[in-house]
Amino acid sequence: MKYLCLLLAVSFTSMFLLAGSSGESEGLLETLRPAVKKATSEFDQIGNERRKQLEEVAAFMRKRLDDGKTADIMTICTHNSRRSHLSQVWAQTAAYFYGLSGVTTYSGGIEVTACNYRTIRALRRAGFSAVRVTEGENPVYLIQYSENQAPIKAYSKLFHVDENPQKDFVAMFVCDHASESCPLVKEAGLRSPIFYDDPKASDGTPAEDASYDASSQRIAREMFYLMSKVSGD
């Protein structure tokens, strides 16, 4: 009987570890789970060169976590209005999904504008909760992916503001203009160009929603792939 109990305990522990290693959706907002399921099912759509770029970032982050340090990411684009917010939000969601408690994501730009309302609409269509909590030309939105986690504060800001990490983070440039124009970001531990096409080109056209949704979906797919590699899944 003692050996049977031991066998059952070992089997239960193994099942628990296996389930945790592949990502868990239970803590996510229910409205968000279909988009996450879609993102994690599309890794085969990521090309080899892109995988290498993402895996380089993952290796840097994994090393920091193994050393007992944080592995933070700052996504940077010119205006901190579209791609950088989509990347920040999806990367944080993916880190939570894979249980990476040492990962926090941030965003910034080289100019201050606003988090574009089309970005917010795309996040809402994907299943996030997005609530505007201030008014003005550069309002603050609280983006929630889980009821168990603090929301992400989304608004346009310069990449070097005090609330963003100041050293040893991944500087992920999501637009080529920001990468070319941005200062060296000397304190970053890794500078990585992960460029995305700007959905702004579709603004005011019938293709607007589809364009933003496609950008959001591609970014989601790649941020989940990145965090799956950080987790060793």
Side-chain angles (χ1 to χ4, degrees):
M1 183 66 178
K2 179 174 70 175
Y3 294 109
L4 177 59
C5 291
L6 178 61
L7 179 61
L8 289 172
V10 171
S11 298
F12 177 80
T13 301
S14 299
M15 290 172 61
F16 176 80
L17 292 174
L18 182 60
S21 68
S22 60
E24 295 293 345
S25 63
E26 283 78 2
L28 296 172
L29 296 180
E30 187 172 354
T31 53
L32 183 58
R33 295 176 193 176
V36 170
K37 184 177 181 180
K38 182 176 178 61
T40 56
S41 70
E42 294 180 340
F43 292 167
D44 61 342
Q45 296 185 30
I46 303 173
N48 290 335
E49 288 303 314
R50 191 64 157 191
R51 287 178 183 239
K52 290 179 182 177
Q53 289 180 299
L54 296 166
E55 288 166 7
E56 179 184 4
V57 177
F60 173 84
M61 296 175 65
R62 183 69 262 166
K63 177 66 165 56
R64 286 191 59 82
L65 293 176
D66 288 344
D67 291 343
K69 301 174 182 178
T70 60
D72 297 331
I73 296 178
M74 191 194 313
T75 56
I76 303 172
C77 68
T78 303
H79 299 125
N80 192 205
S81 61
R82 294 172 175 81
R83 290 165 285 180
S84 54
H85 284 296
L86 291 171
S87 300
Q88 177 192 4
V89 170
W90 279 118
Q92 190 66 69
T93 304
Y96 173 75
F97 179 79
Y98 287 107
L100 299 170
S101 59
V103 176
T104 304
T105 66
Y106 303 83
S107 69
I110 59 177
E111 300 175 26
V112 174
T113 55
C115 179
N116 194 276
Y117 70 88
R118 299 173 182 87
T119 304
I120 297 300
R121 288 178 177 175
L123 290 170
R124 286 171 176 160
R125 287 194 297 270
F128 292 94
S129 168
V131 179
R132 187 171 68 180
V133 294
T134 68
E135 301 297 329
E137 295 182 355
N138 186 16
V140 174
Y141 297 89
L142 297 183
I143 313 297
Q144 194 164 27
Y145 56 92
S146 170
E147 294 180 353
N148 304 323
Q149 301 295 307
I152 298 167
K153 187 167 67 171
Y155 69 102
S156 182
K157 58 202 166 296
L158 298 176
F159 73 91
H160 52 69
V161 296
D162 289 343
E163 68 189 71
N164 281 346
Q166 302 299 311
K167 62 183 300 185
D168 298 332
F169 58 92
V170 176
M172 182 182 292
F173 293 90
V174 295
C175 78
D176 53 357
H177 180 262
S179 179
E180 294 168 358
S181 304
C182 201
L184 185 58
V185 194
K186 294 180 180 179
E187 298 302 321
L190 178 69
R191 180 185 176 113
S192 180
I194 307 291
F195 301 150
Y196 294 102
D197 293 335
D198 193 352
K200 180 181 180 180
S202 68
D203 287 3
T205 73
E208 182 178 282
D209 286 356
S211 176
Y212 275 80
D213 290 347
S215 292
S216 178
Q217 183 177 330
R218 183 189 176 191
I219 290 171
R221 179 192 311 144
E222 295 189 355
M223 293 303 101
F224 271 83
Y225 180 80
L226 166 64
M227 295 303 172
S228 74
K229 293 303 179 183
V230 178
S231 73
D233 186 37

